[in-house]
Amino acid sequence: MDSRLLLPYEIRKIGELNYEFVNKDGILYHTFFLPMVYPDMDNTFSFSIEREGTAPHNIDRRIAATVISILRRFFEKVENAMIMVCDNTDGKQGKRRVLFNRWFDLYNDGTLSSRNIDVREGFYELMVSIYYKHDNPNKQKLIRAFNELMSQDIYEIVI
């Protein structure tokens, strides 16, 4: 196998915590971190990946390598934590969770921890994960706040 296939794509920083890259098929991807506004979740950000267009594309393992490269930059600050939300607006929340967990298992160098919580209310479902460094000095407070947030009314979390 050609080892160049696993190199990340060129990443362009377009804001403090916003990046974009173009894959081999010319599809533009945007990644961004948005600060969480919740007690005891300082330095915690939600993470999103969006691609432009709706054209189908082939499986591209370099996307994973690129996203992991962006996440490594983010976690250079030990106090940072990241929340990943997979909702069911398009019915693909389970696939996203499986994919992101696979990436985490494959690329985690042992310095990160994660917790997953699934929240259901009626027809609406959220699959939420939090990622943080093992040596994050605020991890206990962060975990308590995350559990508290996930125990709230699901519609309060989405809005």
Side-chain angles (χ1 to χ4, degrees), residues 143-159:
I143 292 166
R144 275 193 307 276
F146 177 68
N147 289 335
E148 179 183 306
L149 176 63
M150 295 296 98
S151 69
Q152 292 183 15
D153 182 345
I154 194 169
Y155 297 108
E156 289 179 25
I157 296 168
V158 176
I159 296 176

Side-chain angles (χ1 to χ4, degrees), residues 38-137:
Y38 193 78
D40 293 331
M41 294 190 105
D42 300 331
N43 297 311
T44 302
F45 298 81
S46 65
F47 177 68
S48 294
I49 306 167
E50 295 179 358
R51 72 181 189 107
E52 290 193 358
T54 57
H57 61 88
N58 297 321
I59 293 175
D60 183 349
R61 293 186 352 195
R62 286 183 66 191
I63 292 172
T66 306
V67 171
I68 296 308
S69 180
I70 291 167
L71 294 176
R72 283 187 176 135
R73 291 179 188 187
F74 173 78
F75 282 110
E76 285 175 357
K77 184 175 179 185
V78 173
E79 293 84 9
N80 280 353
M82 181 190 88
I83 291 182
M84 178 78 169
V85 177
C86 302
D87 67 33
N88 68 343
T89 55
D90 63 359
K92 296 181 181 179
Q93 70 279 5
K95 290 180 181 181
R96 283 190 200 93
R97 161 77 66 78
V98 167
L99 178 63
F100 212 80
N101 283 344
R102 185 179 315 135
W103 290 355
F104 180 78
D105 293 341
L106 183 62
Y107 291 100
N108 184 14
D109 61 4
T111 62
L112 295 178
S113 293
S114 69
R115 293 185 185 266
N116 297 321
I117 295 180
D118 297 346
V119 181
R120 289 183 180 88
E121 190 166 302
F123 68 92
Y124 201 76
E125 177 183 24
L126 289 177
M127 295 180 162
V128 185
S129 303
I130 188 166
Y131 300 88
Y132 54 91
K133 300 260 308 219
H134 288 305
D135 55 351
N136 184 324

Side-chain angles (χ1 to χ4, degrees), residues 4-5 7-14 18-31 49-53 57-58 60-67 70 73:
R4 290 178 300 155
L5 295 177
L7 292 175
Y9 288 110
E10 179 183 342
I11 299 168
R12 291 187 299 266
K13 186 174 182 176
I14 57 170
N18 299 313
Y19 305 91
E20 63 184 20
F21 63 93
V22 177
N23 78 344
K24 65 180 170 59
D25 298 321
I27 299 172
L28 177 62
Y29 287 81
H30 302 278
T31 65
I49 306 167
E50 295 179 358
R51 72 181 189 107
E52 290 193 358
H57 61 88
N58 297 321
D60 183 349
R61 293 186 352 195
R62 286 183 66 191
I63 292 172
T66 306
V67 171
I70 291 167
R73 291 179 188 187

